[in-house]
């Protein structure tokens, strides 16, 4: 089946005024020389070719939700909001489907369009504001011991090179072939081999999840970590610094009976009366991360940092338990209204307990005021060249700080702890690592070879890609 399903057009940072661009977390501000929002792939290709011929750098921006300067350019900035929606759907014999999506499609649009086709992403991160191209390009991931990040769900790409040629690369190309290698760097490569115009994803039949959110003693999770992680489809936890308590999140495939009764609750008159017809409400949304009360907690912490230990103790104690059943994307996605800075590292899973102990020790010794919980997620080993979970079972540990509060000392200390156990930084979240030491973790020579072949003049480089991947041409 081939079809085109449009999504309504959001307004990307690139599409708005001439004001400088800035990231969602307010971590980077920049002013490109020129901005454009092409209406289709042909216009995109012409824009790239003209800019490259004039010696300009070219970068695309998605939703600006990276904390690093990944999307920054001094040259032509492209917003792909008009390249949005589903182009084609190819059902597979095993019930999955290959869905080709235009690169600027936001995840919330994609989720709705897939749901209308009875399909869903196998796994997602915890928000849905990103564009699909931006999300895969930095290795965006969710949680699940048997699951990989979004880039592992990519089966093909269309990418515009510096000549304006639209190249196609798929996972089915022969291993070691130029096409297969281009696919590797295009599906997760910080936009360094060209501008993605479309992405083909392997998606699954739509499914519902049973979400269980419960406060637990942190040690209960850590003592039975393997059972916690491997015994659930999607396990996650939020640990409150200065306490030994965590909010646990366990999401598992719902049974047909559960789906039937929650469907009735959502659609029935009773459900509408109770407000269940909108979105099943998550404890994490309502009481921890996203609501007005959390903003108030953070403002208090900003005004009186000495209150933070008591605030965290109250937050950790205030939580009750909640369980609900809803379509997968509604369970995965949370609302993040309180603005923050974030660093996230991928660690060998076996190191998690020691790393949290080290972090706890540093926080207690330093009395650093941190009103945000530490987030822990999990992923299977994968084989994507630049994936943070490449070749090993992974625990992701993310540290956050309220945007107006200083984060440097906390993040530097956390980074030292993470780096000591072979941690790999999320490409889209704050860190201070460089290609010199990241080369221990990734085949950066192979990445450089592919980049040099498709982008010999360095049209798609920027300072950040030079720092973390090494330079191509200038
Ligand atoms: C509130 C919040 C929650 C988050 N939650 C998660 C999470 O749960 N899991 C997780 O892993 N990460 C998470 N992140 C990080 C986020 O998913 C990544 O930083 C992601 O890259 C942002 O997507 P974007 O569309 O905003 O891309 P941008 O930040 O705009 O761009 C990211 C990179 O992609 C490149 N790019 C964008 N479009 C194209 C294109 N068409 N062709 C080529 N290159 C392109 C850019 O040049 C840049 O290098 C979160 C971030 C925030 C702010």
């Amino acid at each position: 089946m081939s079809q085109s399903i449009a999504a309504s057009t959001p307004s990307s940072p690139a599409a708005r005024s001439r004001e400088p661009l800035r990231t969602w977390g307010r971590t980077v501000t920049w002013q490109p020389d020129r901005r454009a929002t092409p209406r289709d792939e042909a216009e995109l290709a012409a824009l790239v070719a003209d800019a490259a011929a004039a010696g300009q750098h070219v970068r695309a921006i998605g939703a600006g939700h990276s904390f690093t300067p990944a999307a920054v350019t001094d040259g032509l900035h492209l917003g792909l909001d008009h390249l949005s929606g589903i182009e084609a759907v190819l059902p597979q014999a095993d019930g999955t489907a290959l869905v080709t999506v235009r690169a600027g499609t936001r995840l919330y649009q994609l989720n709705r369009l897939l749901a209308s086709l009875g399909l869903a992403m196998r796994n997602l991160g915890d928000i849905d504001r990103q564009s699909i191209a931006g999300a895969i390009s930095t290795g965006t991931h969710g949680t699940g011991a048997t699951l990989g990040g979004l880039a592992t769900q990519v089966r093909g790409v269309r990418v515009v090179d510096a000549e304006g040629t639209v190249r196609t690369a798929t996972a089915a190309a022969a291993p070691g072939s130029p096409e297969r290698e281009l696919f590797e760097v295009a599906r997760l490569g910080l936009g360094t081999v060209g501008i993605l115009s479309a992405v083909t994803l392997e998606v699954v039949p739509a499914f519902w999840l049973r979400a269980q959110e419960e406060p637990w003693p942190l040690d209960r999770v850590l003592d039975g970590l393997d059972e916690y992680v491997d015994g659930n489809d999607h396990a996650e936890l939020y640990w409150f610094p200065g306490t030994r308590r965590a909010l646990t999140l366990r999401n598992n495939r719902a049974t047909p009976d559960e789906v039937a009764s929650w469907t009735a609750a959502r659609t029935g008159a009773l459900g509408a009366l109770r407000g269940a017809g909108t979105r099943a409400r998550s404890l994490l949304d309502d009481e921890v991360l996203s609501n007005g009360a959390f903003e108030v907690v953070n403002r208090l912490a900003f005004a009186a940092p000495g209150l933070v230990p008591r605030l965290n103790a109250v937050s950790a104690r205030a939580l009750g338990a909640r369980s609900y059943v809803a379509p997968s994307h509604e369970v995965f996605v949370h609302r993040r209204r309180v603005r923050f800075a974030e660093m996230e590292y991928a660690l060998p899973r076996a190191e998690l307990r020691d790393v949290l102990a080290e972090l706890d020790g540093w926080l207690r010794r330093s009395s650093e005021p941190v009103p945000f919980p530490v987030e822990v997620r999990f992923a299977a080993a994968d084989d994507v060249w630049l994936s943070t979970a490449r070749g090993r079972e992974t625990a992701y540990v993310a540290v956050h700080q309220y945007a107006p509060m200083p984060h440097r000392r906390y993040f530097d200390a956390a980074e030292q702890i993470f780096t000591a156990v072979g941690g790999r930084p999320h490409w889209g979240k704050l860190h201070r690592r460089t290609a010199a030491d990241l080369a221990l973790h990734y085949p950066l020579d192979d990445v450089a070879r592919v980049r040099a072949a498709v982008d010999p003049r360095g049209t798609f480089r920027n300072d950040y890609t030079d720092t973390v991947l090494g330079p191509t041409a200038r």
Side-chain angles (χ1 to χ4, degrees), residues 24 59-67 70-71 80 103 125-127 130-131 133-135 137-141 190-191 194-196 336 340 344 377 426 428-429:
W24 178 92
R59 302 285 294 167
I61 190 164
H65 272 51
S66 295
F67 297 89
L80 300 194
D126 62 13
I127 60 160
Q130 307 96 318
S131 67
S137 294
T138 61
T140 295
H141 63 89
L190 294 166
I195 306 301
L196 293 162
R336 295 295 188 98
F340 55 83
E344 183 177 54
R377 292 181 281 186
H426 189 302
K429 301 186 184 179

Side-chain angles (χ1 to χ4, degrees), residues 13 23-25 30 44 58-72 77-80 83 102-107 124-143 149-150 158-160 186 189-199 236 238 332 334-340 342 344 375 377 388 396 400 426-429 460 462 464-465:
T23 55
W24 178 92
W30 72 103
L44 166 66
V58 181
R59 302 285 294 167
I61 190 164
H65 272 51
S66 295
F67 297 89
T68 52
V72 168
H77 227 298
L78 293 166
L80 300 194
L83 270 69
R102 294 184 193 94
T105 310
R106 299 297 176 90
L107 297 183
L124 284 165
D126 62 13
I127 60 160
D128 59 6
R129 301 294 104 179
Q130 307 96 318
S131 67
I132 185 65
I136 63 170
S137 294
T138 61
T140 295
H141 63 89
T143 190
L150 269 58
R158 285 208 311 275
V159 60
V160 177
L190 294 166
T192 51
V193 286
I195 306 301
L196 293 162
S197 57
V199 177
E236 184 173 2
Y238 286 81
F332 289 131
H334 302 284
R335 295 163 294 169
R336 295 295 188 98
R337 294 206 198 101
V338 180
R339 224 173 269 274
F340 55 83
E342 181 176 354
E344 183 177 54
E375 183 180 13
R377 292 181 281 186
T388 48
Y396 287 100
H400 306 72
H426 189 302
W427 300 104
K429 301 186 184 179
F460 302 110
N462 66 11
Y464 180 69
T465 63

Side-chain angles (χ1 to χ4, degrees), residues 239-243 289 294 297-302 304-313 315-316 340-343 359-360 362-364 366-375 398-403 405-414:
W239 161 57
F240 293 85
T243 78
L289 287 179
F294 191 56
V297 165
N298 278 274
R299 284 190 189 174
L300 270 173
F302 181 50
L307 285 180
V308 166
R310 249 182 299 159
L311 290 172
N312 281 353
S315 298
F340 55 83
E342 181 176 354
M343 163 185 284
L359 202 53
D360 191 28
W362 184 85
L363 284 160
R364 287 173 194 271
S366 67
S367 302
E368 189 75 4
V370 180
F372 259 83
V374 172
E375 183 180 13
V399 294
H400 306 72
Q401 181 58 292
Y402 184 43
M405 291 174 72
H407 60 258
R408 203 61 274 168
R409 206 162 76 108
Y410 176 34
F411 286 13
D412 282 351

